[in-house]
Amino acid sequence: GTVLDTSRLRYLVSEKTGVAVRNIHAYIAGEHGDSEVALWSCGEIGNVPVANWGATIDGKPFDDAVRKDIAHQVVRSAYHIIEGKGSTNYAIGLAASNIINAALRDEERVLTISTLLEGWAGISGVCMAAPTIVGIEGAGKVLTPPITLDEREALTQSALALRKVASDLGY
């Protein structure tokens, strides 16, 4: 899924706004990779919608350009880490640990794990990350947050990219 990418997104928003990471609620959905999608339309800082957030800590507006830059940094971050140390294994281990703890402790936590989607944002028959409740039974209800048409189209493109990879592998 995109648990790691979602963590990176929240961290970068926290850096730009000066608000603690635990108070940033935003998700990365779709493929874990180049076609992943930041779901800004349902994101909140505190309980303020991202679109209504005023300025960054340096006084610049927290606008589409800043959000686009943050999303781009999230996508590119793995490449930068791999260039520097060769792998992202520690961060992947931490993300896996978060998923396992959510299940073992029956936390009913919302995590962006990959599950087989059926009718989610118009997407069916593909496994990709979406906000999903994780508890003792594993992946539970897949949440359907409000998203824009642009986000929906980007998610559809992400699903198509995943289908192509599966097809190329003979699935």
Side-chain angles (χ1 to χ4, degrees):
T2 57
V3 171
L4 175 55
D5 308 278
T6 292
S7 295
R8 289 177 175 149
L9 176 76
R10 291 175 178 177
Y11 172 77
L12 292 171
V13 171
S14 173
E15 276 196 326
K16 284 287 187 189
T17 62
V19 175
V21 171
R22 76 181 115 216
N23 298 120
I24 308 296
H25 301 283
Y27 300 98
I28 296 284
E31 165 197 28
H32 167 70
D34 292 340
S35 72
E36 63 190 25
V37 181
L39 302 180
W40 292 115
S41 60
C42 63
E44 293 184 340
I45 302 167
N47 70 344
V48 176
V50 167
N52 295 353
W53 190 259
T56 62
I57 57 174
D58 59 4
K60 296 178 183 171
F62 193 77
D63 58 12
D64 283 338
V66 169
R67 293 191 294 271
K68 220 177 235 185
D69 181 59
I70 289 171
H72 179 74
Q73 286 182 59
V74 171
V75 170
R76 303 301 306 162
S77 62
Y79 297 113
H80 294 296
I81 293 166
I82 290 167
E83 281 176 20
K85 67 174 193 156
S87 68
T88 62
N89 54 336
Y90 295 117
I92 292 167
L94 185 58
S97 174
N98 283 336
I99 296 166
I100 292 165
N101 281 329
L104 290 176
R105 295 178 182 159
D106 198 20
E107 292 178 350
E108 299 296 320
R109 242 177 108 185
V110 177
L111 297 170
T112 48
I113 62 170
S114 289
T115 59
L116 178 61
L117 299 177
E118 295 299 337
W120 184 80
I123 297 165
S124 293
V126 67
C127 291
M128 68 180 208
T132 304
I133 298 173
V134 178
I136 196 77
E137 299 293 322
K141 180 179 180 176
V142 179
L143 305 180
T144 306
I147 59 173
T148 65
L149 290 176
D150 287 342
E151 290 167 342
R152 184 179 176 130
E153 177 58 30
L155 288 165
T156 299
Q157 293 306 311
S158 189
L160 290 172
L162 287 168
R163 280 194 186 101
K164 181 177 181 341
V165 168
S167 175
D168 290 349
L169 294 171
Y171 292 101

